Amino acid sequence: MNDAATLAALQKQLTPLFPGLMGVELTELAPDRVAARMTVRPDLCTVGDTLHGGAIMAFADTLGAVGTVLNLSPGARTTTTDSATKFIAGAPVGSVVTGECTAFHRGRSTMVWQTLVRSESGKLCAVVTQTQLVLAGR
């Protein structure tokens, strides 16, 4: 599923939305794994020129949602029901963070994903675990 057409189509979907505004770039797609990168810009930072925790959470939430979308039946939708974040280290402005999101559970009504967010040097910045609700088509 990591074909260039699928990746480009999902990236195009994200571009006009909040993930696009943040600069989320999808790099790998599979039914059980999604990877992406994001440049740490000044407008995504908090005091001290460090990536804001909310930006980290939004980055990870995007990856879990994309992973769920890859597993949805035609016409189905998804929304996040809960998310837990453990902040471990910061990422400085001007660097690039990466996210690797893997599925813990891919069921008919819920999916659970964990995202590891790492700094450019590979240091773990955060661990985010989220549950996605699967909603039937309208």
Side-chain angles (χ1 to χ4, degrees):
M1 181 174 289
N2 197 21
D3 64 73
T6 303
L7 196 139
L10 277 170
Q11 187 68 55
K12 185 176 179 180
Q13 258 187 304
L14 294 179
T15 297
L17 305 174
F18 185 61
L21 181 66
M22 289 179 47
V24 175
E25 299 173 47
L26 299 173
T27 57
E28 295 179 42
L29 300 176
D32 61 349
R33 183 179 182 280
V34 174
R37 53 181 277 150
M38 183 176 71
T39 299
V40 180
R41 302 184 321 242
D43 59 331
L44 297 176
C45 289
T46 187
V47 176
D49 292 329
T50 302
L51 186 60
H52 191 283
I56 290 172
M57 294 170 72
F59 178 56
D61 182 67
T62 298
L63 302 189
V66 167
T68 301
V69 165
L70 293 173
N71 289 277
L72 290 177
S73 301
R77 301 171 293 128
T78 186
T79 190
T80 306
T81 62
D82 63 86
S83 180
T85 304
K86 303 295 181 209
F87 297 105
I88 298 165
V93 69
S95 67
V96 174
V97 292
T98 58
E100 180 182 5
C101 184
T102 54
F104 278 0
H105 166 73
R106 291 181 294 152
R108 287 177 296 159
S109 59
T110 61
M111 297 192 196
V112 180
W113 297 84
Q114 183 179 69
T115 304
L116 303 178
V117 179
R118 297 186 183 277
S119 69
E120 202 166 68
S121 66
K123 186 172 186 175
L124 187 62
C125 295
V127 177
V128 181
T129 304
Q130 74 194 71
T131 303
Q132 293 289 131
L133 181 64
V134 175
L135 303 164
R138 294 182 183 175

